[in-house]
Amino acid sequence: MTFVQAVKNDDCNGTLNELLSLLDEGIDDLENGRIEPLEQAWVDIDSI
C-alpha cells in the first residue's frame, strides 16, 4: 500500500484527504493536456 492510499484510508483527517483529491485532479488535468500554458497565463494576468 502506498502512502497516499494509506492516508486516504485513514479518515481521521478530512482536510488532508481533500488536498490529496485536489492534487490527484490536478495531476490528471496535467496528464490529459487540460492545463493552460504558462505563457498564456502571464498574458492573461498582464491584461488585467
Side-chain angles (χ1 to χ4, degrees), residues 15-33:
T15 304
L16 184 55
N17 287 338
E18 229 177 281
L19 177 62
L20 291 172
S21 293
L22 290 172
L23 181 60
D24 188 43
E25 287 177 33
I27 290 170
D28 186 53
D29 287 344
L30 183 63
E31 290 174 342
N32 290 299

Side-chain angles (χ1 to χ4, degrees), residues 7 9 11 14 17 21-22 25-27 31 37-39 42 48:
V7 170
N9 289 338
D11 242 356
N17 287 338
S21 293
L22 290 172
E25 287 177 33
I27 290 170
E31 290 174 342
L38 184 58
E39 294 80 17
W42 281 115
I48 295 175

